[in-house]
Amino acid sequence: MPGRIRIVTAHLLSGNRMKRSLSQAVLLALALTLTAASASAQTAAPAKPRGMQDILDASRPADWRALDPNNTLYLELERGRVVIELAPQFAPAHVANIRALASNGYWNGLSINRSQDNYVVQWGDANAEDASKRKPFGAGFKPKLPAEVSRKSAGLSMTVLPDPDGWAPQAGFAAGFPAARDSATGSSWLAHCYGTVGAGRDMAIDSSNGAELYVVIGQSPRHLDLNITTVGRVVKGMELLSSLPRGTGALGFYETAAERAPIKAIRLAAKVPKAERSDLEVLRTDTPLFAELVESRRNRQDDFYKRPAGYINICNVPLPVRDRAAKKK
């Protein structure tokens, strides 16, 4: 019996040793697997950032906003429609005048009178300097307004770009518009980017009233910032303006009536039947998705780009617009 007990005991001990050896082998194999996986993860190429189209495709309805019909103008040309979003947050008095002029049909039948290469397209009354021929402004219009080249920053939220701006201490987007601000003065203003709409004036800074408007069609003339009241931006139809024949007169003004581009009408979207409106929405500029879009343009990862710039200018940040009606189909 004692011998058997020793044999059984020895057998049990041997079995336990085998189990421990198997467990150790399994743990060793698992450790080797995890180590290999970790090494592979460390050597694998990092995930490629999403491009602009991928970002837009991944957007949600909350990343977009519809245009406010009370702050949207339709410039109707023979060639098509230009859609302008007004910025009452920056120029409330001028926008009020523009609404009044549109409601009065002031621009209907007038013309685009200037197309200066790499600068602006401008429209209004070609006879504005002749009191006997100029068109009356109509009800609700104020001929004299204060200059609205900037506003107080208080109460205005801004998505600030990560890079320095040559024209202001900070640049970014406010209320969906490219803008700049200065904390020292506590002021903010719209930036003169491609598509920016401004109010033409004479030498005095407070000589604009919204009856004469221009759109930037060339390289961003940021030197105009804080010198002219800006009232909004074109969100659709820029090609209808930027491709107009250039004027041959001084500053690109057309020298004859035949050269001018006639304006069929300028209407406030709120006064246009819904069936005739452009059903557009624009990408919001105060969301994480927009921040990702900015970075995707700041450091281009497209196959074409071999050296990302690592910098972006406010006027080079795209502001996507889409047709909601087309999206529903």
Side-chain angles (χ1 to χ4, degrees):
M1 285 293 291
R4 290 180 180 177
I5 290 173
R6 284 197 297 272
I7 292 172
V8 172
T9 302
H11 180 72
L12 290 172
L13 289 172
S14 176
N16 289 335
R17 291 192 190 98
M18 290 178 65
K19 289 179 180 177
R20 284 198 298 272
S21 297
L22 287 171
S23 297
Q24 290 171 352
V26 171
L27 290 173
L28 179 60
L30 180 60
L32 290 172
T33 301
L34 291 175
T35 301
S38 176
S40 176
Q42 290 176 2
T43 57
K48 189 175 182 179
R50 293 192 294 186
M52 177 174 164
Q53 191 57 54
D54 294 328
I55 293 170
L56 294 178
D57 289 343
S59 66
R60 300 170 300 170
D63 292 312
W64 300 82
R65 62 181 177 86
L67 293 177
D68 181 353
N70 288 301
N71 290 320
T72 304
L73 279 184
Y74 295 153
L75 166 56
E76 310 285 4
L77 302 174
E78 293 179 348
R79 312 170 73 200
R81 172 180 289 178
V82 178
V83 181
I84 298 169
E85 182 178 20
L86 299 173
Q89 307 91 330
F90 288 89
H94 281 74
V95 169
N97 258 9
I98 290 169
R99 289 197 191 107
L101 290 171
S103 297
N104 297 338
Y106 171 74
W107 287 292
N108 302 355
L110 295 183
S111 58
I112 293 175
N113 306 314
R114 177 188 181 192
S115 177
Q116 186 172 0
D117 190 50
N118 198 33
Y119 205 45
V120 300
V121 158
Q122 186 169 325
W123 66 84
D125 187 352
N127 297 313
E129 301 301 319
D130 188 339
S132 65
K133 295 182 179 179
R134 72 170 64 125
K135 190 173 182 178
F137 299 118
F141 176 84
K142 296 179 180 179
K144 182 65 177 177
L145 296 179
E148 295 180 295
V149 297
S150 67
R151 56 154 286 173
K152 292 182 179 179
S153 297
L156 183 68
S157 177
M158 180 180 286
T159 300
V160 180
L161 292 182
D163 300 311
D165 182 72
W167 301 95
Q170 284 186 320
F173 294 86
F177 295 89
R181 73 181 178 190
D182 185 351
S183 58
T185 61
S187 60
S188 298
W189 58 93
L190 291 181
H192 270 80
C193 294
Y194 184 77
T196 292
V197 180
R201 68 168 175 83
D202 293 326
M203 294 301 291
I205 197 168
D206 62 350
S207 57
S208 61
N209 55 30
E212 195 86 12
L213 298 176
Y214 66 86
V215 175
V216 175
I217 63 165
Q219 179 66 28
S220 309
R222 295 288 304 281
H223 58 279
L224 295 178
D225 290 4
L226 295 174
N227 284 289
I228 300 181
T229 296
T230 43
V231 299
R233 69 183 180 99
V234 172
V235 297
K236 187 174 183 181
M238 270 300 295
E239 71 281 359
L240 302 177
L241 300 174
S242 61
S243 62
L244 286 171
R246 302 304 186 241
T248 56
L251 302 177
F253 278 94
Y254 294 126
E255 297 184 275
T256 65
E259 295 175 276
R260 299 172 191 147
I263 295 174
K264 295 172 65 176
I266 294 184
R267 302 179 292 172
L268 195 64
K271 301 293 182 69
V272 175
K274 287 187 177 181
E276 298 177 25
R277 295 179 190 175
S278 297
D279 192 12
L280 304 176
E281 58 184 3
V282 297
L283 192 70
R284 287 174 52 190
T285 60
D286 58 350
T287 66
L289 185 103
F290 181 73
E292 183 183 1
L293 183 144
V294 170
E295 186 58 29
S296 76
R297 307 300 285 184
R298 184 171 175 263
N299 278 296
R300 298 290 293 269
Q301 301 296 320
D302 315 43
D303 292 336
F304 178 84
Y305 290 87
K306 310 307 179 187
R307 181 182 178 278
Y311 175 87
I312 195 163
N313 180 292
I314 183 176
C315 293
N316 286 336
V317 176
L319 295 172
V321 180
R322 68 183 185 184
D323 191 321
R324 292 201 299 177
K327 183 176 179 295
K328 294 174 184 177
K329 293 180 181 179

